[in-house]
């Protein structure tokens, strides 16, 4: 009996890959825009994204995750990271694992092996979402225009990650360094968010980085 | 009753308006009435008026915990239309529409019923299908209605953004030209004055606290001013219906939600009709005073606070600015909320209840104002005869058990 | 002559910066720092508008948010018009263009004014309820003229060039009002380290200190204000917002602030800047330091230009260096108003007299006035004024308070300014927005905030604390309290010293009597903007309006853009007296947001135009655009509707697309369908409960169609779900239903059946889905895949994994068109590359992209339903003739089973889905059209159903439709009729809903 | 705009992140087949709709996607508590007199 159907979804190499913002041609905007912009944007695209579900209260689950990833399960509203891998709390029984692009199949297999016998779910969602990194002195203002969540560092220190409303949709905001934040954006909404960010950041200057 | 007319107004001006009579008395409650109406809003007052006028039952009291017409009657956006989809609703609302059309003269009180036309915009292909379905049903039911294409809409509604590059381009609309608006306070006052003149006691500032039963049969109401007996009791308390039902010992398929509305500052005429859009979620008309009267959506939670949450106001104004970008620099003056009694099928309950001689008329949700005269008229007939008026019969509570809903919600269901 | 009424010195204006502006077509000059009202007064402009009902000339009356008259149209271009701007709240800028909102041909010579004089008597409150009724048909004509006459300013007729936005804040302490109490509170709170926001509606902080005579620590009070601002600016946790009105106090300490960032700079915002911003603030604690608002006395002809609030006169003199007249009469019932007399003298103008309604006033300011030789008439008041376009005199007479009557004929005093003060009303609006009823305090003759559950502190004038020293102390203490309640430790602070002066109580006089009686006296205005007089209020009570809400609604008292800031208490007092009750018995009306009007654009923020709402695109959007697709809105998605070629219209394109699919092969972007990954040992059981049909025996590798019902048994979604592994399924939903279905699964799992071990994860965005459909789809696909497509190896309703275009794919052999079809699912990042390869390979098969319209036609030919189009929330599976999809013997009572067995759901003659074939094959039944059995019956007709889907252009060669008909399944072969708007009738035969390939051979080709 | 404490995220969040899902504690009848039409109708449609304390179901849609319960006053809109599915409310209509003090003790949490 197979518990789940898992297959390598990413082609070996050479296949044409387009991030969800491909259409917006961010690459063509790199290096343009004003000096010392208030906000800089960088796509962190084509990474491996896995949604992990399981029972946080089951020590076997936490141990299995640790065995497979070398990471402790993060507590509510936080993320843990090692090298290019991060594990983020999404809900009481849900985590988002982000790994370098191409590793997701192997990681999923490792997770499934380590968690064998437990009621879990691992789902590859790499094609459906990506990170958009925002940095610069005015990012917080742009976030304040976009979400009713309190993004003041007193409430939203580095290392925190929350799911919340953003403009007229919903996404996850991750605070990764003092002036650096990441938005977890869904593919089908990314055009909207890109338009939104350009509009909201217009008064501060918005540049695209490689 | 002192008759109102232009000439009367002139006559009174000669005496500096010092001799106008009271519009209604402030009576002390009698011990017992033939019928007690609980709730002195538009529907309750209309019920009392038609009981007296059409059924000769004048030993009637309207018991109101606050002031006449102070609930949703005072808080709605005054839209009147009858272009409902299902036969049952269409007949009921059309009955009301016909009464509206002569109401000022009937009451000798100008309720300013203004048939400016009500437009429902279509933004999607499914909107067009639903609209054709409704207009077609209206036509065969004898209710006026037209389906317009995008160009006709652009021609008939100035300043509406009919360009193709909006988020949800407008591709058509329905219009009911007999629809329009009326002056909400005047409706309550007109019915109150006319009912009072026929002998109905309007008892304000008196809260109904419970219902007295004898052998399970309702024999009157307990009020903040003591017990008042009645042969029949009709409860018409809109948002508070669930609460009244609890007092009577049963539950209703009703939830009370905040419904918000707002007005702009008064400006010169710019919106000539009533324009509604379900897709962008907003509707607008302009009052005779010049205020843009704008209806917001319903808040998701139950609430008796006569106020809702701010994002609902934001979304509504976004919708209005999206439809009419020229209004962006106009300013919002005031917002408020009412308590709407919503039912699962978005249709009212006009019904007998588990308690004999206790009748309820409620569940009008967001659409009660337009039905005011019709609702009062059929409820009065039902109270007078003790049997539901044929137009009211389909709106019995029983339908929530049998499954015979009249689903005005479902008719607007969107899924693909 | 320019600036005739500007004082030679004084004021906070910058006389080195001269600004030119236009009012009613005439150019004037003012200074930077002026309000528009100040600049108009400086130029001696008397009449700034005409009143609403009687068209009486009106002048500037106040200096702030309470101004009822000076409501102007602003804007230099059509697109930048702003209606109803209060001149008292508009900073002057270079090039400002303002006009009056009423008056024809102009405000000085208004024709309506004559009508107002003649007809005014015919317009008591509610006159329109009593007339215009006959004949019935004339109301709309009357109304046309009423509408024309009503309204103040006008909307622009071009689109707004400016942008707006929101900003969300969370703070420990929000301080509303930056007067003495607010600033003291701000100091206290800010020093504790709390996150503090201070918002004030005026151009600069200072509140009452901006025009105060008082000193702090022996220095002008504004020096202290400057020091406080400097200190607050240094603190990183403090946000200072001038020109920012707190307009709404909402539940759970959520407040909205309307900040005007550029309205003082010009007609429109400088390029790149936001004109106005709404701050959405969640505050742990709120300090309300909104102060108090002076109210006038009500007397005859109190609306003639040159009648002004006493405090406003001080503001114009001290803050703007403007004297709105030369000879002043002051009518007061309190001490504080005497400062205007002193200010007036200091400005070198003449105080003709002070009429004080009190018999023996002895307060410090009174004595100071006496000492300066000002004539004080006690037990007296201004009874009426005269003057047509400006005050020329005031009649002061003795009044008897007990009987509220005039005790002496009095004397006419020549003057050009009547300043009036009837006491002070705490500004309780915000404190009352959540329904907390204000409480009347007889000692200060005003309403103060009542008890309320909100976490707030009220300080200073709003509490009736009026003395400067007391107000500072009250503010500081309130700031300490707010900060400590928000979890901060307050720091000690020393407040500056104010002079403590003897101040006597205000006298309870609101409505000054007139010997002719209220009804016959010259008009005594209570609400200037709505032309509501004392007589009108008395008349309302006479007609039986006893509730304050009734009085207000009947007379329109307080319904103006000023929301009755000046008139409400006076109106209450008059109504109370008339009804012989006390003011607290009379109560107040509800206070609702906004405190002052807010620009719609600002409330809308950035959510306009192209970012009004999210638009969702699939990974293949760029290709659709390249192919020239027309798009259809489906939920938030833009889906290709059809792909016109060479100027084709919808019908031609759809016909071609249909034919291509039936003849060869077409490609559809199906990525928008919802996809939900389901894992867990109880996944199968869960599907059994949530779908109408059985899932127990679905093998790995297979897929099945399912219907979902709500508990009432009505269909609400459908789709195909495949078994990927024993504990693993992937479900598809309708495009519009994706989010709803996921919620549906979650609510049942989380709240109803938490014991079922199953997880749901949306993979809608992860996969792009391309559907190849048509007899050549196998051939085409085989050229780009390594999957064995042999019909036995890969049968209908199964799925396989393999490479498609070199990319791993999961391919489902399912069909919505009735043709042989493959749905190719690819990780969305790689979909475009795969599509390009398929398209390249498809050239030899005339691979044709098709949109939703063709998809709808093809599925309808097969009789497949679309939930939401062929269903409407009132259809059971049996109504849809889909009883085959109902698991009648499933052990668990799945969702919908009980509901669809209710009495009404199992009766005969329910509407059932059938096929409809117009008798004339060229006739098209409009979608939505109602059906009848007898087209000749009279209206209202008995309707028996309606058309749900209908297609004239298709692959069948004749028009056909689907629809619901009462008892339709037993009426196959019978006729129905659809009467049309133009009087024609379309006749159709009831047929099976499967029009094409009823045996289903083609999908197995 | 309400401020709601999500018991899973452990924070107060703005109402915009949530979806109100009606009255809580309405268990689905274990044997629907044994219900009369009236009983089934009651289950589906009839609600308490109180003017006062209301136990209601909310979903933190923009956050952790979890459902939870809240006890809220439908007149003042005060939220007295939020609690996990499957647990019982601390505040009920019968225990209403305790409300004010209890709320204060819960401090800033709700």
């Amino acid at each position: 009996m197979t518990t789940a159907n898992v297959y390598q979804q990413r082609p070996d190499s050479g296949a044409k890959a387009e991030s969800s913002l491909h259409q917006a041609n961010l690459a063509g905007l790199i290096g343009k825009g004003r000096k010392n912009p208030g906000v800089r944007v960088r796509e962190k695209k084509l990474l491996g994204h896995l949604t992990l579900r399981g029972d946080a209260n089951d020590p076997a689950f936490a141990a299995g995750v640790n065995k497979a990833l070398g990471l402790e399960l993060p507590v509510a509203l936080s993320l843990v990271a090692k090298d290019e891998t991060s594990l983020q709390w999404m809900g009481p029984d849900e985590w988002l694992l982000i790994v370098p692009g191409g590793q997701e199949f192997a990681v999923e297999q490792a997770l499934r092996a380590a968690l064998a016998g437990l009621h879990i779910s691992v789902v590859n969602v790499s094609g459906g979402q990506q990170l958009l990194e925002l940095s610069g002195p005015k990012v917080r203002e742009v976030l304040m225009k976009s979400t009713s969540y309190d993004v003041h560092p007193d409430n939203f220190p580095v290392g925190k990650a929350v799911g919340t409303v953003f403009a007229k949709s919903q996404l996850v905001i991750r605070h990764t360094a003092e002036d650096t934040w990441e938005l977890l954006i869904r593919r089908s909404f990314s055009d909207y968010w890109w338009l939104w960010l350009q509009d909201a950041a217009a008064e501060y200057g918005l540049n695209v980085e490689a | 009753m002192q008759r109102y007319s232009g000439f009367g107004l002139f006559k009174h001006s000669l005496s500096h308006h010092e001799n106008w009579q009271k519009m209604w008395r402030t009576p002390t409650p009698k011990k017992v009435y033939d019928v007690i109406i609980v709730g002195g809003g538009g529907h309750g007052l209309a019920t009392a008026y038609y009981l007296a006028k059409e059924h000769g039952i004048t030993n009637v009291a309207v018991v109101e915990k606050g002031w006449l017409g102070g609930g949703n009657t005072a808080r709605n956006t005054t839209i009147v239309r009858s272009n409902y989809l299902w036969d049952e609703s269409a007949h009921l609302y059309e009955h009301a529409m016909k009464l509206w059309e002569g109401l000022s003269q009937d009451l000798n009180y100008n309720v300013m019923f203004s048939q400016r036309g009500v437009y429902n915009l279509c933004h999607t292909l499914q909107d067009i299908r639903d609209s054709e379905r409704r207009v077609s049903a209206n036509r065969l039911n004898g209710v006026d209605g037209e389906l317009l294409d995008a160009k006709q809409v652009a021609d008939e509604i100035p300043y509406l953004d009919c360009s193709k590059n909006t988020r949800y381009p407008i591709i058509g609309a329905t219009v009911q030209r007999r629809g329009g608006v009326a002056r909400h306070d005047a409706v309550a006052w007109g019915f109150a004055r006319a009912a009072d003149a026929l002998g109905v006691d309007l008892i304000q500032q008196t809260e109904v606290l419970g219902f007295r039963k004898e052998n399970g049969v309702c024999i009157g109401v307990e009020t903040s001013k003591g017990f008042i007996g009645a042969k029949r009791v009709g409860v018409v308390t809109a948002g508070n219906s669930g609460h009244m039902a609890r007092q009577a010992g049963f539950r209703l398929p009703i939830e009370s939600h905040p419904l918000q509305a707002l007005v702009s500052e008064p400006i010169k005429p710019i919106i000539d009709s009533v324009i509604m859009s379900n897709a962008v979620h907003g509707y607008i008309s302009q009052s005779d005073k010049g205020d843009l009267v704008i209806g917001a959506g319903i808040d998701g939670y139950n609430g008796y606070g006569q106020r809702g949450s701010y994002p609902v106001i934001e979304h509504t104004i976004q919708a209005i600015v999206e439809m009419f970008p020229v209004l962006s620099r106009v300013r919002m003056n005031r917002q408020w909320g009412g308590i709407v009694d919503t039912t699962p099928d978005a249709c009212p309950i006009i019904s007998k209840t588990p308690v004999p001689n206790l009748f309820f008329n409620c569940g009008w949700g967001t659409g009660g104002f337009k039905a005011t005269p019709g609702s009062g008229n059929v409820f009065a007939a039902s109270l007078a005869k003790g049997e539901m008026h044929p137009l009211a019969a389909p709106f019995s509570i029983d339908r929530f058990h049998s499954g015979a809903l009249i689903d005005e919600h479902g008719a607007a269901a969107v899924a693909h | 002559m320019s600036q005739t009424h500007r004082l030679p010195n004084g004021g906070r204006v910058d006389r080195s910066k001269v600004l030119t502006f236009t009012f009613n077509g005439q150019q004037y000059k003012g200074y930077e720092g002026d309000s528009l009202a100040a600049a108009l007064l400086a130029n001696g402009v008397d009449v700034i508008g005409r009143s609403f009902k009687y068209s009486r000339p009106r002048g500037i009356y106040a200096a702030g948010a309470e101004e009822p008259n000076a409501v102007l149209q602003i804007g230099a271009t059509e697109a930048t018009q702003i209606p109803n701007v209060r001149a008292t709240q508009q900073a002057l800028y270079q090039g400002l263009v303002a006009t009056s909102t009423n008056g024809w041909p102009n405000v000085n010579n208004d024709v309506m004014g004559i009508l107002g004089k003649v007809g005014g008597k015919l317009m008591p409150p509610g006159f329109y309820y009593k007339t215009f009724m006959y004949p019935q048909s004339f109301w709309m004509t009357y109304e046309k003229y009423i509408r024309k006459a009503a309204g103040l300013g006008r909307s622009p007729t071009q689109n707004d060039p400016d942008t707006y936005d929101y900003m969300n804040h969370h703070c420990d302490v929000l301080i509303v009002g930056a007067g003495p109490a607010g600033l003291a509170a701000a100091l206290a709170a800010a020093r504790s380290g709390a996150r503090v926001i201070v918002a004030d509606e005026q151009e600069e902080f200072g509140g009452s200190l901006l025009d105060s005579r008082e000193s702090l620590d022996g220095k002008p009070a504004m020096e202290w204000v400057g020091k406080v601002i400097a200190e607050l600016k240094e603190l990183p946790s403090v946000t200072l917002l001038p020109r920012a009105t707190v307009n709404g106090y909402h539940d759970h300490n959520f407040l909205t602030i309307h900040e005007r960032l550029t309205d003082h700079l010009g007609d429109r915002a400088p390029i790149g800047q936001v004109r106005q911003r709404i701050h959405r603030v969640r505050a742990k604690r709120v300090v309300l330091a909104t102060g108090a608002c002076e109210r006038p006395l009500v007397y005859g002809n109190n609306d003639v230009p040159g009648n002004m609030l006493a405090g406003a006169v001080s503001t114009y003199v001290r803050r703007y260096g403007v004297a709105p007249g030369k000879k002043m009469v002051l009518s007061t019932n309190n001490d504080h108003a005497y400062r205007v007399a002193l200010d007036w003298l200091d400005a070198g103008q003449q105080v003709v007299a002070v009429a004080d309604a009190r018999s023996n006033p002895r307060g410090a300011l009174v004595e100071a006035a006496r000492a300066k030789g000002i004539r004080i008439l006690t037990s007296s008041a201004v009874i009426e004024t005269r003057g047509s376009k400006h005050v020329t005199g005031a009649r002061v007479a003795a009044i008897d308070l007990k009987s509220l009557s005039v005790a002496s004929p009095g004397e006419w005093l020549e003057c050009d300014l009547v300043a009036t003060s009837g006491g002070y009303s705490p500004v309780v609006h915000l404190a009352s927005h959540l329904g907390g009823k204000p409480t009347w305090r007889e000692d200060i003759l005003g309403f103060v905030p009542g008890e309320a559950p909100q976490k707030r502190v009220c300080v200073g004038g709003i509490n009736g604390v009026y003395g400067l020293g007391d107000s500072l102390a009250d503010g500081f203490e309130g700031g300490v309290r707010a900060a400590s309640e928000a979890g901060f430790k307050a720091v000690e602070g020393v407040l500056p010293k104010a002079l403590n002066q003897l101040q006597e109580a205000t006298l309870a006089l609101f409505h000054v009597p007139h010997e002719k009686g209220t009804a016959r006296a010259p008009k005594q205005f209570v609400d200037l903007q709505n032309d509501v007089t004392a007589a009108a209020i008395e008349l309302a009570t006479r007609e039986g309006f006893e509730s304050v809400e009734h009085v207000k609604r009947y007379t329109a008292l307080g319904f103006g853009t000023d929301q009755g800031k000046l008139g409400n208490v006076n109106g209450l007092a008059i109504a109370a007296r008339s009804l012989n009750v006390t003011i607290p018995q009379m109560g107040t009306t509800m206070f609702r947001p906004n405190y002052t009007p807010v620009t719609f654009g600002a409330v809308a923020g950035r959510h306009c135009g192209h970012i009004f709402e999210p638009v969702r695109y699939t990974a293949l959007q760029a290709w659709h655009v390249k192919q020239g697709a027309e798009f259809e809105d489906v939920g938030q998605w833009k889906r290709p509707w059809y792909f016109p070629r060479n100027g084709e219209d919808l019908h031609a394109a759809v016909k071609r697309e249909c034919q291509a699919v039936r003849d060869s092969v077409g490609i559809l972007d199906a990525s928008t369908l919802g996809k939900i990954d389901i894992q867990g040992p109880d996944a199968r059981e869960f599907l059994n409960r949530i779908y109408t049909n059985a899932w127990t025996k679905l093998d790995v590798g297979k897929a099945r169609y399912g219907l979902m019902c709500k508990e009432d048994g009505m269909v609400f979604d459908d789709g195909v779900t495949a078994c990927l592994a024993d504990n693993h399924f992937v479900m598809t939903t309708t495009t519009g239903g994706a989010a709803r279905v996921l919620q549906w699964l979650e609510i049942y799992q989380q709240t109803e059946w938490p014991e079922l071990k199953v997880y749901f994860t949306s993979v809608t965005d992860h996969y792009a889905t391309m559907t190849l459909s048509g007899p050549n789809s196998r051939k085409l696909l085989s050229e780009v895949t390594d999957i064995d497509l042999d019909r036995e190896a890969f049968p209908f309703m199964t799925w396989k994994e393999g490479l498609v275009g070199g990319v791993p794919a999961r391919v489902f052999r399912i069909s919505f068109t009735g043709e042989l079809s493959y749905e190719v699912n690819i990780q969305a990042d790689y979909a475009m590359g795969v599509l390009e390869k398929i398209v390249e390979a498809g050239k030899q098969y005339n691979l044709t992209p098709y949109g939703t319209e063709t998809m709808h036609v093809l599925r309808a030919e097969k009789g497949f339903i679309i939930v939401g189009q062929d269903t409407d929330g009132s259809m059971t599976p049996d109504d849809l003739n889909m009883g085959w999809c109902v698991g009648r013997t499933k052990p668990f009572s799945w969702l919908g089973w009980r509901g669809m067995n209710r009495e009404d759901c199992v009766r005969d003659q329910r509407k059932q889905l059938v096929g409809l074939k117009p008798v004339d094959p060229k006739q098209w039944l409009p979608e939505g059209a109602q059906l009848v059995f007898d087209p000749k019956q009279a209206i209202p007709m008995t309707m028996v159903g309606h058309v749900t889907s209908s297609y004239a252009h298709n692959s069948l060669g004749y028009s056909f439709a689907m629809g619901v008909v009462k008892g339709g399944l037993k009426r196959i072969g019978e006729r129905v009729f659809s009467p049309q708007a133009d009087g024609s009738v379309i006749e159709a035969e009831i047929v099976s809903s499967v029009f094409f390939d009823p045996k289903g051979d083609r999908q197995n080709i | 705009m309400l401020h709601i404490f999500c018991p899973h995220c452990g924070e107060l969040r703005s109402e915009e992140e949530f979806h109100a899902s009606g009255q809580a504690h309405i268990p689905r009848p274990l044997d629907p087949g044994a219900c009369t039409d009236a009983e089934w109708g009651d289950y589906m449609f009839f609600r308490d709709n109180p003017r006062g304390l209301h136990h209601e179901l909310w979903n933190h849609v923009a956050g952790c996607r979890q459902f939870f319960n809240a006890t809220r006053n439908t007149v003042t809109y005060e939220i007295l508590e939020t609690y996990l599915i499957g647990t019982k409310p601390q505040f009920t209509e019968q225990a209403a007199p305790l409300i004010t003090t209890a709320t204060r003790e819960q401090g800033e949490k709700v």
Side-chain angles (χ1 to χ4, degrees), chain B residues 17 101 105 114 331 410 416, chain C residues 84 121 133 136 143 734 872:
Chain B
H17 302 289
E101 285 172 333
Q105 294 71 32
S114 175
R331 303 187 303 177
H416 275 282
Chain C
N84 306 349
K121 278 189 150 184
M133 280 177 280
Q136 189 177 329
E143 194 184 30
T734 59
D872 63 3

Side-chain angles (χ1 to χ4, degrees), chain C residues 10-13 33 63 202-204 207 210-211 314-322:
Chain C
R12 302 179 59 76
V13 292
Q202 298 213 50
E203 294 292 312
E204 50 179 335
L210 287 165
D211 56 45
S314 281
T315 303
Y316 288 115
V317 169
R318 297 188 59 89
R319 186 165 167 195
Y320 299 107
V322 173

Side-chain angles (χ1 to χ4, degrees), chain A residues 53 77 89-92 94 148-149 160 162-165 170, chain D residues 1 8-9 11 13-14 16-17 60-66:
Chain A
R53 307 289 297 269
L77 310 183
W89 185 93
M90 299 288 280
E94 179 176 349
S148 57
Y149 188 72
K160 194 168 181 178
V162 301
T164 184
V165 287
Q170 300 154 6
Chain D
M1 183 159 62
H8 298 283
C9 293
E11 281 190 344
R13 299 287 186 94
S14 274
E16 290 166 295
E17 296 189 9
H60 193 186
V61 284
C64 60
R65 302 199 300 120
Q66 298 295 303

Side-chain angles (χ1 to χ4, degrees), chain B residues 17 23 68 101 105 110 114 116 129 140 168 266 288 307 314 318 328-329 331-332 335 410 416, chain C residues 84 121 129 133 136 143 160 162 166 251 280 542-543 550 593 598 601 613 734-735 872 927 941:
Chain B
H17 302 289
M23 287 197 191
L68 299 176
E101 285 172 333
Q105 294 71 32
N110 189 353
S114 175
R116 329 193 61 79
R129 290 180 197 112
L140 302 187
Y168 295 107
D288 286 350
R307 61 178 191 274
E314 284 175 333
Q318 285 154 11
S328 167
R329 289 170 96 88
R331 303 187 303 177
M332 155 166 136
Q335 65 173 80
H416 275 282
Chain C
N84 306 349
K121 278 189 150 184
Y129 303 133
M133 280 177 280
Q136 189 177 329
E143 194 184 30
D160 194 340
D162 283 321
Y166 313 155
D251 282 289
R280 306 161 97 231
R542 199 176 305 134
E543 291 195 78
H550 274 163
V598 180
E613 262 189 15
T734 59
T735 296
D872 63 3
E927 289 178 341
M941 292 195 184

